[in-house]
Amino acid sequence: MFYETINKSHIIFFDSFDCGDDGLNNYLKELALKDQDDRKCTTTLVFSRYRGNISLVGYFTLKNTCLIYKPDEKAKIGLPAVEIVFLAVNKKKQRRGIGSKILKKIIYDTVIYSNTFSAVFAIVLSSLNDAVEFYKNSRFIDTDEYFELMPDECRETTTSLFLNLYMEY
Ligand SMILES: CC(C)(COP(=O)(O)OP(=O)(O)OC[C@H]1O[C@@H](n2cnc3c(N)ncnc32)[C@H](O)[C@@H]1OP(=O)(O)O)[C@@H](O)C(=O)NCCC(=O)NCCS
């Protein structure tokens, strides 16, 4: 597998991509390039090469955010975090370990970035309910009375999860 930051030359790969979720498919096809240009999110495409043929097997979209820490009823502290806005694997390639490999890369790259450039306390995300087990397999946990994500409409229908890098690495 190899990774490339999204750009206009990748449009030819978009039609063939279907992860089974219309919201995630449409984001890639309709908004990912614009968000990249507007510096709202960064999308990385995941390709595989087989006998000279290149295909798009997945993508992920990240941005900087903060995880809100509430040590007591009055205090709220913003801790630096990276948010996985989207992560998707092509339907035909799911359940073969590709999503886990991509998630490992995101965690690894974030730890390196944190150690060498700008601190990151946690990786956070709003997971579609079907994918919660996938993230929990990689030690993501539910937010609780001490930790919450920044408000966002999508949080109403999804599950808020985070990985505490300080505890892990
Ligand atoms: C969720 C997703 C990224 C996982 O990618 P993947 O390549 O299929 O995942 P892996 O093969 O690495 O799965 C590793 C383990 O996670 C769990 N898992 C993966 N997908 C799961 C799902 N949809 N439901 C429950 N558990 C799941 C399983 O335990 C799996 O191990 P197993 O296959 O041995 O049972 C992929 O299924 C996908 O793109 N789904 C549609 C879009 C989506 O839900 N994205 C996440 C939104 S935030």
Side-chain angles (χ1 to χ4, degrees):
M1 292 201 307
F2 64 96
Y3 299 85
E4 288 186 3
T5 306
I6 195 169
N7 67 56
K8 285 197 181 81
S9 76
H10 294 128
I11 290 172
I12 49 166
F13 292 100
F14 293 171
D15 272 348
S16 64
F17 188 78
D18 177 13
C19 72
D21 179 274
D22 286 344
L24 274 78
N25 291 339
N26 292 342
Y27 178 77
L28 178 66
K29 291 165 194 181
E30 291 165 15
L31 268 178
L33 273 166
K34 180 164 174 15
D35 280 356
Q36 181 82 21
D37 287 346
D38 294 347
R39 299 197 191 285
K40 285 187 180 161
C41 302
T42 301
T43 293
T44 301
L45 304 181
V46 185
F47 292 100
S48 69
R49 192 184 281 113
Y50 181 68
R51 294 187 174 161
N53 288 326
I54 292 174
S55 60
L56 179 61
V57 292
Y59 82 89
F60 59 90
T61 300
L62 306 180
K63 71 173 182 182
N64 292 314
T65 183
C66 77
L67 176 67
I68 301 165
Y69 174 49
K70 300 175 292 179
D72 57 51
E73 276 174 16
K74 287 180 194 155
K76 278 191 173 185
I77 299 164
L79 299 168
V82 163
E83 176 161 359
I84 301 176
V85 186
F86 300 110
L87 166 56
V89 171
N90 205 333
K91 221 160 54 175
K92 290 182 197 151
K93 305 277 181 170
Q94 288 177 9
R95 305 304 279 252
R96 297 186 194 181
I98 292 173
S100 307
K101 234 181 193 172
I102 296 171
L103 194 53
K104 266 193 194 135
K105 176 189 168 54
I106 294 170
I107 297 167
Y108 178 82
D109 286 357
T110 304
V111 170
I112 300 289
Y113 173 79
S114 177
N115 289 344
T116 59
F117 189 63
S118 178
V120 180
F121 180 85
I123 298 177
V124 306
L125 69 113
S126 293
S127 175
L128 295 179
N129 295 326
D130 279 353
V132 169
E133 275 317 300
F134 166 73
Y135 290 108
K136 289 196 170 172
N137 282 346
S138 292
R139 298 200 293 278
F140 280 75
I141 57 170
D142 293 293
T143 51
D144 54 23
E145 70 263 41
Y146 296 110
F147 292 99
E148 74 184 26
L149 305 196
M150 294 287 282
D152 189 307
E153 270 174 29
C154 76
R155 315 268 194 243
E156 285 159 27
T157 52
T158 54
T159 303
S160 297
L161 300 172
F162 72 104
L163 178 71
N164 183 332
L165 297 177
Y166 180 76
M167 297 291 282
E168 291 273 326
Y169 299 91

